[in-house]
Amino acid sequence: MSEPVTPPDAERRAVGKFLRRMLPILVLMLLVNQMDRTNVGFVQDELRADVGVSATAYGLGAGLFFIGYALFEVPSNMLLERFGARVWLTRIMITWGLVIVAMCFIHNVTMFYVLRFLLGVAEAGFFPGVLLYFTQWLPDSSRGRASAIFLGGSATAYIVTGPITGALLELHGAGGFAGWRWMFALEGAFSILVGVIAGFFLVSRIEDARWLSREEKDALSAAVARDEEARARAPKVSRLKLILHPQVALLTGVFFAMALTGYAITFWLPSLVDDIGGLSPFQVGLLTAIPWICAVIAMYTVSHYTDKAPDRRPYLAIALVLSAVGTFLATLGSPWFGLAALTLAAVGGKCAATLYWPMAQSGLDLKIAAPGLAVVNSIGNLGGFVSPTLFGYLKDTTGSTNGGLYTLSAASLLAVIGVVFIRNTRGMSDAPARTTVPEPGARPAVS
């Protein structure tokens, strides 16, 4: 086995400068992104009382985001390549901020549907756009670290969204406006502000970076060019063949089940916590952070102990069973017991996501790994539409969310069966598996 090639000093310095200068603003943008797409979960009761948004309408509106996102993410990435990351990522953020501000003026269900769809359209391409930005700036050997730091912002967002949104809801009555209108207005305005600031910090091309020396620019450009050349030589596979590929289909089914649970908890947890009763919006926000704090701790702990495991499938199966047990137990007992049960479900879901992506990569042939994972993401993320829509319908027709929780439990258990049949190629080679993320054009899971 050949020794890994050590990058030249100039390349290492250039990568370090990029990580220090660009990643903080990108992580902040992602944190705001996650907050703005999920904050609607905290105002379900208010929308029903003030606007007449039923549980079914809420679930459909929450899910329509993903339809707009899926339809426009690939065109958005093409435009990013044309206009550059500085212009396009800034445009994306300012646009979605404007949509969030517009949501404070919602006065009927149709407007709710339209704005949730437009939010998906506005956000489309942000996440894969950042991943594409990394390919334009970083060699393959450095992108894994950058992607891991960036994805950490998504995990953090789940923790801070509740307390921040809950605090803004406490403004209810100020100036004669409802708290939920203040929440949308202020969070949207903050998104616009961060977008404007990002426009001054982001640099689209290596050549335009004033903070890199000529030697560093040349070394980094050469490294990126070599990787682009290698990717260009990779064989092309049609999307239809990928969808019909047995391993791709299995991975898609497992990810779809994971997305069902992840987004159901995201959009319905605040409502379930509110059922405890006697809590202020800020207290509800604080309590909703508990499952995600536990989940993030568990996620990094499990990652540490399974990184060198010869087969991740047993651990993934256990995580999915935990998720199934948690969602089932949430149908029993008091709301406090339900919060504890959903904490278990969130822990299982986050740990499953951590285990899933490295295993998914090793389970596909190298010639179809990148496009195959993109297909898995594109189709599997439709769980973000199905899950809240199903929950809302079942709540309206049965008067309870139990039916939805039973469905999630069943989906997680079915996913366990799928995991058994996923190929495991880890340990068959002395070469360590290279951690990758799906190719730009399909958003990786952050649920």
Side-chain angles (χ1 to χ4, degrees):
M1 183 176 68
S2 60
E3 292 294 323
V5 178
T6 302
D9 288 341
E11 180 186 325
R12 286 202 304 272
R13 290 197 307 270
V15 168
K17 288 182 178 180
F18 176 86
L19 296 180
R20 290 191 299 272
R21 290 172 178 269
M22 296 294 102
L23 266 188
I25 187 65
L26 292 171
V27 169
L28 175 61
M29 293 170 77
L30 177 63
L31 191 151
V32 177
N33 172 269
Q34 296 294 299
M35 183 185 301
D36 283 346
R37 74 166 53 176
T38 59
N39 57 15
V40 71
F42 291 84
V43 296
Q44 182 186 160
D45 292 340
E46 288 82 354
L47 289 175
R48 182 173 62 248
D50 295 351
V51 185
V53 177
S54 66
T56 300
Y58 165 76
L60 178 58
L64 280 173
F65 168 91
F66 296 94
I67 301 299
Y69 197 101
L71 290 174
F72 287 89
E73 67 175 352
V74 172
S76 179
N77 252 35
M78 294 169 64
L79 290 168
L80 184 144
E81 287 192 280
R82 178 177 177 181
F83 293 106
R86 179 185 178 188
V87 171
W88 199 246
L89 292 179
T90 299
R91 192 286 304 165
I92 289 175
M93 189 162 196
I94 292 175
T95 304
W96 94 54
L98 290 171
V99 175
I100 290 293
V101 171
M103 290 189 72
C104 76
F105 299 106
I106 290 174
H107 59 269
N108 57 44
V109 174
T110 301
M111 192 172 181
F112 175 60
Y113 289 158
V114 170
L115 288 176
R116 282 296 297 180
F117 177 80
L118 289 178
L119 182 62
V121 173
E123 284 193 19
F126 172 72
F127 203 102
V130 172
L131 298 184
L132 177 59
Y133 185 43
F134 287 162
T135 68
Q136 295 170 343
W137 267 86
L138 299 172
D140 289 351
S141 58
S142 299
R143 285 212 317 275
R145 179 168 42 137
S147 298
I149 296 172
F150 182 62
L151 286 166
S154 176
T156 304
Y158 284 98
I159 296 173
V160 303
T161 293
I164 292 174
T165 301
L168 292 177
L169 289 174
E170 297 279 0
L171 294 173
H172 183 74
F177 292 102
W180 65 272
R181 296 188 190 275
W182 278 114
M183 181 203 74
F184 284 131
L186 294 177
E187 289 187 355
F190 183 66
S191 299
I192 295 170
L193 176 63
V194 173
V196 172
I197 293 173
F200 289 97
F201 279 88
L202 295 178
V203 180
S204 296
R205 301 186 311 146
I206 295 173
E207 280 299 314
D208 297 333
R210 298 179 180 176
W211 31 269
L212 291 179
S213 68
R214 171 45 57 188
E215 181 189 17
E216 291 166 345
K217 289 179 181 179
D218 291 343
L220 192 57
S221 296
V224 170
R226 285 194 299 270
D227 289 335
E228 286 180 349
E229 210 174 296
R231 285 195 295 272
R233 291 196 300 268
K236 306 299 180 185
V237 184
S238 75
R239 193 178 183 89
L240 179 61
K241 287 184 178 179
L242 285 172
I243 293 173
L244 297 176
H245 190 284
Q247 285 299 307
V248 173
L250 274 173
L251 290 167
T252 301
V254 172
F255 177 48
F256 183 85
M258 291 165 52
L260 283 176
T261 300
Y263 284 114
I265 295 175
T266 298
F267 286 118
W268 288 89
L269 178 61
S271 176
L272 295 171
V273 170
D274 193 46
D275 288 342
I276 292 172
L279 300 173
S280 69
F282 181 64
Q283 290 171 325
V284 170
L286 287 176
L287 287 177
T288 60
I290 292 174
W292 303 119
I293 293 172
C294 296
V296 169
I297 293 172
M299 177 179 68
Y300 286 112
T301 301
V302 167
S303 172
H304 176 75
Y305 284 104
T306 60
D307 269 350
K308 296 182 180 179
D311 188 354
R312 288 188 174 93
R313 289 178 300 177
Y315 301 99
L316 176 57
I318 292 171
L320 289 169
V321 169
L322 286 179
S323 182
V325 170
T327 50
F328 176 78
L329 290 178
T331 65
L332 309 174
S334 68
W336 283 106
F337 181 80
L339 175 61
L342 287 179
T343 299
L344 179 63
V347 166
K350 277 292 183 185
C351 290
T354 301
L355 294 161
Y356 173 83
W357 288 111
M359 189 200 71
Q361 181 205 352
S362 64
L364 292 176
D365 295 329
L366 286 178
K367 64 181 180 181
I368 65 166
L373 291 178
V375 168
V376 169
N377 274 280
S378 298
I379 300 175
N381 258 313
L382 290 177
F385 170 74
V386 174
S387 182
T389 304
L390 177 65
F391 250 68
Y393 172 76
L394 291 174
K395 184 173 183 180
D396 267 347
T397 55
T398 67
S400 169
T401 57
N402 287 355
L405 292 168
Y406 292 143
T407 303
L408 296 182
S409 295
S412 294
L413 292 177
L414 286 173
V416 172
I417 299 174
V419 168
V420 174
F421 294 98
I422 293 175
R423 274 178 40 191
N424 175 58
T425 59
R426 195 171 190 185
M428 295 182 182
S429 169
D430 292 330
R434 182 168 60 88
T435 301
T436 65
V437 293
E439 285 295 295
R443 178 182 173 274
V446 290
S447 60

